[in-house]
Amino acid sequence: MIEEKLLVIHKGNGPYIGRYDLPGGTVEANESLVEAVKREFIEESGINIDIKRNVGVCDFLIPYELPKRGTTHIHHVAVIYLVQYISGILSKNPEKFEGQDSLGAFWLPINEINSSNSSPLVVEAKEWIKTEQLSLESQRLDDWAVFGKNAFN
């Protein structure tokens, strides 16, 4: 039996701190979604990927205060792609720079993924691996608990 695994990062900042998350991030000025995904994979995991197809979109409302914006929740909209490894070595210690929130990348067996140790995006990716379907409804996670920075130590 082949053990299915998902490439994840340890999250060092933001609402998913201390959890497993998928590589990804903010699209920069004049950058396409595909360019952003490829850049974020390199920055957060150290590997180059090729995008095979757009799987779909899912979204979550996560309790996380941003006082400068006056918000109590983050609306996380995720575009999910099926990708293929091209080259590179997984980075256990990615380059540090402003905005870098990856503490390192690794392959996580999908049977170890759960809502206590992973972002909702990773949980959704696990479900997609099993069913090839994403949730159509926005998921509001008001009971979300943020872990501390030492959750993986």
Side-chain angles (χ1 to χ4, degrees), residues 26-84:
T26 303
V27 177
E28 294 180 353
N30 301 313
E31 184 177 51
S32 72
L33 284 174
V34 168
E35 291 168 336
V37 170
K38 290 179 178 182
R39 175 185 50 76
E40 290 285 351
F41 259 84
I42 292 168
E43 289 175 0
E44 295 185 346
S45 72
I47 66 170
N48 293 293
I49 52 105
D50 185 33
I51 295 179
K52 300 316 268 177
R53 72 179 173 112
N54 183 321
V55 170
V57 177
C58 57
D59 67 309
F60 311 92
L61 285 164
I62 307 290
Y64 189 75
E65 285 191 50
L66 292 171
K68 289 181 181 179
R69 290 188 183 173
T71 61
T72 59
H73 289 68
I74 287 179
H75 189 181
H76 186 178
V77 178
V79 180
I80 302 188
Y81 293 96
L82 180 63
V83 303
Q84 180 179 9

Side-chain angles (χ1 to χ4, degrees), residues 123-135:
V123 174
E124 189 72 23
K126 174 184 176 178
E127 289 304 311
W128 182 85
I129 289 169
K130 291 179 174 182
T131 66
E132 292 197 11
Q133 293 184 355
L134 295 177
S135 174

